[in-house]
Amino acid sequence: MYLIVGLGNPGKEYQNTRHNIGFDVIDVIARQENISVTEKKHKALIGKGIIAGRKVILAKPQTYMNLSGESVRSLLDYYKADETEELLVVSDDISLPPGQLRIRKKGSAGGHNGLKNIIAHLGHDCFQRIKMGVGEKPEGYDLVDYVLGRFDGTDRKIMDQAALAAADAVRLILTEGADAAMNLYNKKVKTEE
């Protein structure tokens, strides 16, 4: 049983913000795979389905970002998923340019409070993740205001494409493993000069 968790904050006021790109990716996968993510369980909205021949749970924790680990821990315990092999977390990353993906099999939270809380609840950082670049905070901006802000029109288009790419990366991880996905997606995004 694969557990695919997109990080974000619940509520309309947080929809389409930089911090909710994990939720956006879960929504894309749910649409593409015809999985309804509406069941309330384990402090999350979840949906069960089959992707690339594998049983999956799509989850959007409803604990708010900083407590994401509570939901992830509960889901892992209930479904008896292997934390290092069957957990895949999708989150935003301000250290990557908009639209760039970075897939990892382990690593620090990098200052991301959702990942930090998951690591605290797991007791280790050895789980697969897809980090979605949302761009660096501009000089003088408050970090919270930036990540809870929305993308402008150009960046929104880039992020919509990146969400589609992340959904493809999830399928590749399910079928061929994280290394194959890392080889394909962990490249620098070409920017126009």
Side-chain angles (χ1 to χ4, degrees), residues 88-177:
L88 177 56
V89 176
V90 183
S91 67
D92 60 296
D93 191 318
I94 60 165
S95 65
L96 297 171
Q100 184 171 330
L101 304 186
R102 173 115 354 109
I103 299 166
R104 293 275 184 258
K105 292 195 280 189
K106 64 178 188 172
S108 74
H112 191 286
N113 288 332
L115 293 175
K116 197 180 296 179
N117 193 255
I118 292 169
I119 290 167
H121 279 270
L122 297 183
H124 62 81
D125 65 0
C126 297
F127 59 91
Q128 301 173 99
R129 63 202 76 176
I130 298 176
K131 297 167 162 198
M132 308 270 304
V134 296
E136 217 174 310
K137 159 183 96 66
E139 187 85 27
Y141 264 68
D142 176 72
L143 180 59
V144 172
D145 289 343
Y146 180 70
V147 296
L148 295 181
R150 288 175 172 74
F151 298 102
D152 67 24
T154 305
D155 281 350
R156 182 76 251 175
K157 285 187 185 127
I158 291 169
M159 295 312 297
D160 289 344
Q161 289 302 309
L164 293 171
D168 290 342
V170 166
R171 276 186 280 280
L172 187 58
I173 290 168
L174 291 174
T175 56
E176 296 181 39

